[in-house]
Amino acid sequence: MQLGRLEPVDPRAVWQSEARDFTPWLLANGDRLADALGIDLELSGAEHPVGGFSLDLIGHDLTNDAVLMVENQLEATDHTHLGQLLTYAAGTGAATIVWVATSFREEHRQALDWLNEQTGQGTHFFAVQVNVARIGDSDPAPYFDVVAKPNDWQKRIRSATRAGATTERAEQYREFWALYLDALAEADLSWGRRTPQPANWMNFAGPFTGTNLNPSFASGKRLRHELYIDGGDADANGVLFELLVGQRSTLEERFGEALEFDPIEGRRAARIATYQDGCEISDVDDWDNYIAWFIDTGSRLRTAFGTVRVVVEGQLDGLAGLT
């Protein structure tokens, strides 16, 4: 048997920009972080406002029923980000606090160990090193190493798992998305491979750079299927959103009904969505109807955005040529 050699890859060769590339990737791949930490989690938003600042990622630790936050760096750790970590934790009330970087200085790892010793049992600090490697000419593969965590973390996680700490609602989400993915496979719809998560949403690659097409259970007992625009740069997100607003009549004609164009005030991102009222994950008898709605609207959204893609991307290229 011939074995390959695992070769490290500079993370900056994969994600050139922390804000535009790495943070959106991590938002879309929270399951990888969950695997590393050994918990169920959902990442719900990027650039979450905390006072006059922005936290990289906000979410929920489903295993421990706690607010989860992530501050990341595509570089070695520094004192500035340690201060930001504590400021954002206080501002969000996060109890599961994750610092992701390409390498950790020893004094910063020791600082997180000290915080884990000094804080209460319900607060958890993690240092997670992001690495990238490949074998030969293979695609680069990211992976995480947890280099600092609470001393009793694994013991408590095993105990929590045995006690069924994952909420019933979270488990319902996981079961629903598993059925949804099965239905996509049966319909021969290749929207991208995903693992069902205990979260109220899933995301799939969108038709434009920096976008996703997300089915979700939104607030107010509604289903939502959306084009979510967040390439990491608020100005670029706004430009793409406005170009799509300019194509509204075509989009709605091809989709077959009105769409909601939402710039999401106070957030970096924007969305274009359709909704279905009166829907709740706990209504298990209606799951087949929800799945059918998500598949129908997802297909029509892809058709509609595919219709305007060439025009919009041409406009984006033209604007880029003026800068």
Side-chain angles (χ1 to χ4, degrees):
M1 177 184 297
Q2 184 174 354
L3 301 178
R5 181 186 296 273
L6 195 66
E7 299 177 351
V9 176
D10 183 355
R12 285 282 183 181
V14 177
W15 306 288
Q16 294 184 1
S17 166
E18 176 188 310
R20 293 191 303 273
D21 301 319
F22 182 64
T23 298
W25 177 85
L26 190 54
L27 177 62
N29 291 272
D31 57 315
R32 301 192 186 209
L33 185 60
D35 289 343
L37 298 179
I39 61 173
D40 288 324
L41 64 84
E42 62 177 48
L43 297 175
S44 55
E47 298 300 318
H48 181 76
V50 182
F53 302 93
S54 295
L55 166 65
D56 287 329
L57 293 166
I58 190 78
H60 197 78
D61 173 351
L62 296 167
T63 298
N64 295 282
D65 192 20
V67 176
L68 175 144
M69 56 155 281
V70 180
E71 182 67 8
N72 56 58
Q73 294 180 259
L74 270 182
E75 57 191 354
T77 55
D78 55 43
H79 288 351
T80 298
H81 279 79
L82 177 59
Q84 289 174 298
L85 192 79
L86 300 177
T87 300
Y88 297 155
T92 60
T96 302
I97 300 141
V98 184
W99 190 1
V100 178
T102 57
S103 65
F104 279 82
R105 292 188 168 90
E106 181 61 20
E107 58 268 31
H108 296 143
R109 188 195 61 75
Q110 290 178 356
L112 295 192
D113 285 342
W114 181 83
L115 286 166
N116 279 321
E117 292 170 1
Q118 300 301 315
T119 53
Q121 197 172 37
T123 304
H124 325 296
F125 287 87
F126 294 90
V128 180
Q129 182 171 306
V130 59
N131 310 281
V132 182
R134 64 156 47 100
I135 298 175
D137 295 328
S138 70
D139 292 334
Y143 63 96
F144 294 115
D145 285 328
V146 178
V147 299
K149 64 179 183 290
N151 290 335
D152 62 346
W153 179 250
Q154 293 300 333
K155 178 176 67 177
R156 290 194 310 101
I157 289 300
R158 286 193 294 269
S159 175
T161 301
R162 287 194 299 269
T166 301
T167 67
E168 179 182 353
R169 190 177 186 84
E171 191 55 40
Q172 284 183 322
Y173 283 134
R174 191 200 303 274
E175 292 175 10
F176 176 85
W177 296 124
L179 292 173
Y180 173 66
L181 292 171
D182 287 344
L184 288 181
E186 290 175 8
D188 198 26
L189 295 172
S190 300
W191 293 353
R193 296 180 60 187
R194 290 289 183 272
T195 300
Q197 296 297 308
N200 67 315
W201 55 276
M202 292 195 73
N203 66 346
F204 298 86
F208 309 99
T209 301
T211 67
N212 291 99
L213 280 164
N214 303 336
S216 67
F217 288 82
S219 60
K221 295 184 178 181
R222 297 189 297 172
L223 301 183
R224 177 173 63 211
H225 216 143
E226 65 182 352
L227 178 80
Y228 192 75
I229 303 170
D230 187 10
D233 181 275
D235 292 337
N237 294 340
V239 168
L240 176 56
F241 179 74
E242 291 302 324
L243 289 176
L244 290 170
V245 169
Q247 297 292 324
R248 183 169 192 158
S249 61
T250 301
L251 287 169
E252 292 182 335
E253 179 182 356
R254 294 307 301 267
F255 182 67
E257 58 186 284
L259 293 165
E260 183 172 316
F261 287 69
D262 183 4
I264 315 183
E265 295 298 331
R267 295 274 297 276
R268 183 182 67 187
R271 65 166 55 97
I272 300 171
T274 184
Y275 292 88
Q276 174 80 2
D277 293 330
C279 302
E280 175 63 52
I281 187 65
S282 59
D283 296 332
V284 178
D285 290 342
D286 290 329
W287 280 9
D288 286 345
N289 294 330
Y290 299 168
I291 289 171
W293 186 86
F294 279 134
I295 291 177
D296 173 55
T297 53
S299 297
R300 289 190 285 131
L301 284 171
R302 283 167 172 79
T303 297
F305 287 113
T307 300
V308 304
R309 180 176 179 179
V310 172
V311 172
V312 170
E313 289 183 340
Q315 292 173 323
L316 286 172
D317 291 341
L319 290 172
L322 297 176
T323 60

